Amino acid sequence: IITGKGERMNTPLHLSKILGFKVSRKDPGYSYKSIGASGENKASVYSGVYTAGRKSLKYVVIVKRGRPEEKDSPKPGNRGKRDSQLITCMMGMLNRVHYDRRPCELDEVMINALNNLEIPPTEIEYMMAIDADTRVSKLSMSYMHRYMQANDRVLACCGETKVDNKTASWVTMIQIYDYFASHALKKSFESIFGCVTCLPGCFTMLRIYCPDDVRPLLSSDNVFQAYSRNDIESLHDKNLFHLGEDRMLTTLLLKHFPEYRLNFVPAASCWTIVPDSYKVLLSQRRRWINSTFHNMWELLKVRTLCGCCCLSMKAVVAIDMLSTMILPAAMLYGLSFIYVVFVAGEPITQLTLILFGIILGAQVLIFMVRSRVDHLFWFLFYLVVGLPVFFFILPLYSFWNMDDLSWGTTRQVADNKKPASASSPK
């Protein structure tokens, strides 16, 4: 039960207002084994049917409440994102259902809620992960579902994430092309190999079991046991499991299911709210850059990545990791090149001009083919304003603070001296 900074109501209250169920601090909490130091937590379960016009939506809401001694904490029951993934339909409960193991107290309540909604847990084949600040286009889920139905060897797929608050500040403006490059370009390239290296938690569809032989996939023992580790002690592991959950889960899927593909569906798209202040951007990218670097080491250990020698996905990962390390040096080299050419007056060789022409021409061609002509402006803005930030400041700041495992200013809670009511807003 968390109240965000600047909010009057906590998250469960927002959901209850939208879906129409009632929530109170006196509601019973059901025990389950959690990750973290305590190893124990309690959660409440709410279920029902949301109706809007002729459409209806069945829902099950899980509210982590924590143990009794956590009642005065600003984040009672909070065990992190990975714990939430493990207790919901992602892996924990369905792992025990698929392997016919004894369910915990929370599992029993969740299974009962699903059965009351006429949703047998054993028949849940897909899971869609969407962030609360993500706006999804109307047909995106249909595109992704149809893609996975037509390709039974696809374990998971993601769509393109775009910037929703484009002109909120110069900070959001430099991120527009960055998001385009990391999704429409990079994920499209990785999808050729069937090895998207990061399935974003904000917009991804995953296959829970194989429809042919009902073999658990996402809920399999190999993935569940590796992802639910509670012995996270080294700096390497903490970056993997505390800051880079999405990438770590993707790596586990690539490692344990080499016969399946992780793909990118360009027709599916969503819009997300990106950081609009420089301080929040520093905090977010510190987590992303450090967790990405550590996760690439894990990817290099996966022997089943497709390809051979230099023409392999492992070579792509190695180049990506190396380029991340030398970004600040590359920025300094670029500045020295500009000084030598435009200040010192050194002539530019014909080969250099051809190289720059190919790079810029390829970008313009991609914008035209994808009907993103407006991105030409954002690309130029990125070159002038964003390049020093993404190539120099952010990598240096991230590597210098690699031992900082907090979420920083990305997620802030309200002052717990004046807690909001759990049953009604003040």
Side-chain angles (χ1 to χ4, degrees):
I1 302 176
I2 298 175
T3 304
K5 186 175 182 180
E7 297 289 336
R8 295 177 57 204
M9 297 189 296
N10 55 46
T11 306
L13 276 175
H14 279 291
L15 284 174
S16 67
K17 185 177 180 181
I18 295 170
L19 298 175
F21 64 89
K22 294 183 179 180
V23 58
S24 170
R25 290 189 182 273
K26 296 180 180 180
D27 292 335
Y30 304 97
S31 300
Y32 74 94
K33 184 179 179 181
S34 68
I35 61 174
S38 63
E40 181 185 350
N41 204 354
K42 287 182 177 290
S44 299
V45 179
Y46 307 90
S47 61
V49 180
Y50 171 74
T51 304
R54 296 182 180 180
K55 298 181 179 180
S56 61
L57 173 70
K58 299 176 181 179
Y59 66 85
V60 176
V61 177
I62 302 165
V63 178
K64 295 193 288 185
R65 294 182 170 275
R67 297 181 298 175
E69 57 267 28
E70 297 179 58
K71 63 180 181 179
D72 295 326
S73 169
K75 294 183 178 181
N78 180 49
R79 302 291 187 273
K81 176 181 177 179
R82 186 161 56 101
D83 180 71
S84 299
Q85 294 172 330
L86 289 168
I87 69 171
T88 56
C89 295
M90 191 164 189
M91 285 182 272
M93 182 267 289
L94 289 180
N95 172 267
R96 289 179 280 275
V97 168
H98 288 154
Y99 288 96
D100 198 23
R101 296 193 177 107
R102 181 180 178 181
C104 67
E105 187 180 15
L106 179 61
D107 288 343
E108 293 177 347
V109 179
M110 292 169 60
I111 293 171
N112 185 55
L114 289 170
N115 287 329
N116 289 338
L117 295 172
E118 299 181 351
I119 307 176
T122 54
E123 296 182 12
I124 301 176
E125 186 176 352
Y126 303 102
M127 188 207 73
M128 186 75 197
I130 303 174
D131 276 356
D133 61 353
T134 300
R135 180 169 59 90
V136 181
S137 63
K138 291 183 179 180
L139 296 177
S140 288
M141 291 180 65
S142 298
Y143 289 142
M144 298 170 82
H145 180 244
R146 185 174 63 183
Y147 184 83
M148 295 191 72
Q149 279 191 318
N151 303 274
D152 57 2
R153 291 289 93 183
V154 174
L155 176 53
C157 65
C158 63
E160 182 181 354
T161 304
K162 306 174 184 178
V163 177
D164 204 2
N165 53 335
K166 289 184 177 181
T167 57
S169 68
W170 69 270
V171 177
T172 62
M173 293 168 71
I174 64 174
Q175 296 176 73
I176 296 173
Y177 176 76
D178 180 65
Y179 267 77
F180 176 81
S182 61
H183 287 82
L185 300 184
K186 184 179 180 182
K187 283 182 169 53
S188 292
F189 175 76
E190 293 175 340
S191 188
I192 298 174
F193 296 89
C195 299
V196 173
T197 56
C198 179
L199 296 168
C202 68
F203 190 48
T204 294
M205 181 174 287
L206 304 104
R207 194 186 300 273
I208 295 176
Y209 68 88
C210 177
D212 296 332
D213 53 7
V214 200
R215 178 166 60 104
L217 298 173
L218 184 64
S219 58
S220 67
D221 269 348
N222 289 332
V223 176
F224 176 72
Q225 291 173 7
Y227 198 60
S228 59
R229 282 182 53 189
N230 206 16
D231 57 338
I232 311 300
E233 296 180 357
S234 67
L235 179 65
H236 176 64
D237 286 342
K238 288 178 180 179
N239 273 278
L240 291 175
F241 289 95
H242 293 342
L243 301 184
E245 303 94 337
D246 297 337
R247 281 189 172 273
M248 190 60 208
L249 179 60
T250 306
T251 300
L252 292 174
L253 295 178
L254 290 171
K255 178 181 179 180
H256 294 293
F257 299 103
E259 70 275 21
Y260 282 84
R261 297 174 60 89
L262 307 182
N263 285 105
F264 172 75
V265 182
S269 60
C270 72
W271 293 265
T272 187
I273 302 296
V274 300
D276 58 359
S277 70
Y278 183 63
K279 185 177 181 181
V280 177
L281 179 67
L282 277 176
S283 177
Q284 182 196 66
R285 295 308 172 110
R286 168 185 55 79
R287 294 187 292 107
W288 287 8
I289 292 174
N290 288 339
S291 63
T292 298
F293 178 79
H294 285 271
N295 191 266
M296 286 177 182
W297 278 111
E298 292 299 309
L299 276 174
L300 291 176
K301 300 176 185 177
V302 179
R303 298 182 178 181
T304 53
L305 291 180
C306 64
C308 178
C309 298
C310 295
L311 300 176
S312 67
M313 192 62 204
K314 188 170 289 189
V316 173
V317 172
I319 294 172
D320 199 5
M321 183 173 65
L322 179 63
S323 64
T324 303
M325 296 171 62
I326 65 173
L327 281 178
M331 184 64 197
L332 293 177
Y333 177 81
L335 291 176
S336 65
F337 174 81
I338 293 173
Y339 174 81
V340 169
V341 172
F342 294 99
V343 178
E346 288 288 334
I348 305 178
T349 63
Q350 188 175 4
L351 180 62
T352 303
L353 288 174
I354 293 174
L355 180 62
F356 280 113
I358 292 174
I359 294 174
L360 295 176
Q363 289 293 334
V364 174
L365 180 61
I366 291 172
F367 295 148
M368 294 178 64
V369 172
R370 296 293 302 272
S371 299
R372 304 282 185 86
V373 181
D374 63 308
H375 273 61
L376 180 59
F377 168 76
W378 300 120
F379 173 62
L380 296 175
F381 189 83
Y382 175 85
L383 288 179
V384 177
V385 183
L387 218 58
V389 176
F390 287 103
F391 274 52
F392 190 77
I393 299 175
L394 291 179
L396 285 181
Y397 175 80
S398 300
F399 293 146
W400 185 262
N401 294 278
M402 189 171 285
D403 58 343
D404 183 358
L405 302 172
S406 70
W407 279 55
T409 56
T410 309
R411 299 287 186 270
Q412 292 185 322
V413 298
D415 190 349
N416 65 329
K417 292 181 180 180
K418 296 180 180 180
S421 170
S423 56
S424 61
K426 293 184 179 180

